[in-house]
Amino acid sequence: GLGMREAFLAGDLEVAQRLLISQLDMLAAHKGYRIICCFDADRTGGSQNPSSNGLDQASKTKTGVWVVFSVTNDADSWIEKASLLELQGKSSVDGILKKLRTANGGKVVSENERADSKTTQRTVYVATSDNALSSVCTGNGAYAVSSGSLIEELVAAQRSETEILRELSVKARWGGEKRGNAMVTKDQTTADKL
């Protein structure tokens, strides 16, 4: 396991969210996916978003995974709308960032905001085990995958990362490229990212 299930079952949603985001970071680096992860925000003003001012929140991790806390709607409604925007080649996060920028007196919220808003039409996958959300997103033109399938992909990416790190460790221990020539990293770009 990834530890997410245990944290979730123990009722520690913040830890479960952090673990999921960490795993999605690894998946994004490994596969090159653009990932947006949406959670229902704590509308009571708890520790998740103490200063949301009633606005959805979006932040980007160091590896490029967007994390959205939906305040104005539930996460499922946000994902439904986002799937349509993404299929049209528009950034689903851009609207959140524009509202936050307006609320911040014009201050740019994210350095990468402009890069994400100039994207082309793309293939969209929605990971959910909610049948209603899956049907709506599929009707929009997105592909729906179960959360179980996402977990399988996270585990596979973690195994691959571990294999790459082992190879790099052996190369470093045994003289780098001179003695490590017999070892072949399947994907140098992924090895560089890790």
Side-chain angles (χ1 to χ4, degrees), residues 80-128:
E80 289 173 16
K81 183 179 175 184
S83 69
L84 279 172
L85 290 171
E86 295 289 334
L87 285 162
Q88 296 168 4
K90 299 174 183 172
S91 171
S92 58
V93 179
D94 195 44
I96 295 172
L97 296 174
K98 284 180 182 176
K99 288 178 184 174
L100 289 172
R101 187 173 56 239
T102 301
N104 287 336
K107 180 180 169 189
V108 175
V109 180
S110 167
E111 295 175 16
N112 298 323
E113 167 185 5
R114 290 177 188 87
D116 273 357
S117 64
K118 296 178 183 173
T119 55
T120 58
Q121 188 172 355
R122 58 179 72 93
T123 303
V124 175
Y125 292 86
V126 175
T128 182

Side-chain angles (χ1 to χ4, degrees), residues 10-159:
D12 196 343
L13 297 181
E14 288 185 37
V15 168
Q17 287 172 350
R18 277 196 309 274
L19 290 170
L20 175 60
I21 292 165
S22 172
Q23 292 294 315
L24 292 173
D25 274 338
M26 181 185 46
L27 183 64
H30 183 72
K31 294 283 193 170
Y33 294 157
R34 178 175 182 269
I35 297 177
I36 303 169
C37 180
C38 184
F39 297 107
D40 287 313
D42 179 0
R43 291 175 184 83
T44 63
S47 61
Q48 283 181 348
N49 63 330
S51 61
S52 72
N53 297 327
L55 298 173
D56 293 341
Q57 300 294 304
S59 61
K60 198 171 196 178
T61 66
K62 290 179 182 178
T63 58
V65 171
W66 281 103
V67 180
V68 173
F69 285 95
S70 180
V71 175
T72 55
N73 286 313
D74 61 51
D76 290 355
S77 298
W78 191 91
I79 293 167
E80 289 173 16
K81 183 179 175 184
S83 69
L84 279 172
L85 290 171
E86 295 289 334
L87 285 162
Q88 296 168 4
K90 299 174 183 172
S91 171
S92 58
V93 179
D94 195 44
I96 295 172
L97 296 174
K98 284 180 182 176
K99 288 178 184 174
L100 289 172
R101 187 173 56 239
T102 301
N104 287 336
K107 180 180 169 189
V108 175
V109 180
S110 167
E111 295 175 16
N112 298 323
E113 167 185 5
R114 290 177 188 87
D116 273 357
S117 64
K118 296 178 183 173
T119 55
T120 58
Q121 188 172 355
R122 58 179 72 93
T123 303
V124 175
Y125 292 86
V126 175
T128 182
S129 290
D130 182 301
N131 289 333
L133 178 60
S134 177
S135 294
V136 170
C137 291
T138 302
N140 289 346
Y143 296 98
V145 296
S146 70
S147 28
S149 293
L150 174 63
I151 295 296
E152 287 174 13
E153 191 158 359
L154 292 173
V155 169
Q158 186 174 29
R159 283 187 188 132

